[in-house]
Amino acid sequence: MTDSDYALVIGDKNYSSWSLRPWLLMRQFSIPFQEINIDIYQPGARNRILEHSPSGLVPALKSGDLVIWDTLAVIEFLAERHPGLPIWPEEPDTRALARCVAAEMHSGFADLRSEMPMDFLHLKPVANISDAVARNIRRIVGIWRSCRSRAGAQPYLFGAFCAADAMYAPVASRLRTYGVDLSAHGDDGTAATYCETALSGPAIAEWAEGARRQIAERGRTY
Ligand SMILES: N[C@@H](CCC(=O)N[C@@H](CS)C(=O)NCC(=O)O)C(=O)O
């Protein structure tokens, strides 16, 4: 099995926040893969996903006969398959913290996720934010500030880009889309700067271009 035997099954680039995470990670670490894109808002989408992924959800990574159908499991699988790549930080304590914040994202922030769904390309500033979402945002700002305080010169959460950054990229996108003023949620500028970092670079630009192309081809937004 070679790396290029990977196929990543993903949903609409403008909307599928879980899909963005492993896609971005694989691009950032130059892990080759074939992309299988499913229009998850079309009738019959669930059956099309089920052809690839037993959970009926995207993303899923296919590697030969093996299917890994959960974002964090995909990241861990890739980290084990590519031990030479710094998918997690090398220093053990830092690695434990990176896993902590990634896991907190994976299992948490339900209010932010449901009230501010990812809409990668668009800006839809909101005047009022619910208390529940505000609590999520304050915690995210706290996480980002704490990670950045030990990160050194490089601009990502733990310095160089790692899996934790892939997990939070869709959060940065949501904060941009809904025009969230992070200074009202405990930010001293660190989180706002990190947001810009998280949404810059060639891999993110490629994702945005893909989202634009899909919207043009499918002739609709949601
Ligand atoms: N816990 C899963 C979440 C996956 C998920 O919720 N994916 C959404 C798209 S972002 C999905 O497949 N939705 C299609 C549906 O619900 O039918 C993971 O970590 O990968």
Side-chain angles (χ1 to χ4, degrees), residues 15-19 40 49 56-59 69-72 106:
Y15 304 107
S16 182
S17 56
W18 289 108
S19 298
I40 57 176
I49 298 174
L57 299 174
V58 288
W69 62 83
D70 175 274
T71 299
L72 213 40
H106 193 243

Side-chain angles (χ1 to χ4, degrees), residues 15 23 29 31 66 71 145 155 191 197 205 212 220:
Y15 304 107
W23 186 98
F29 287 106
I31 300 171
L66 184 66
T71 299
R145 287 186 63 184
T197 299
R212 257 180 235 111
R220 60 196 145 76

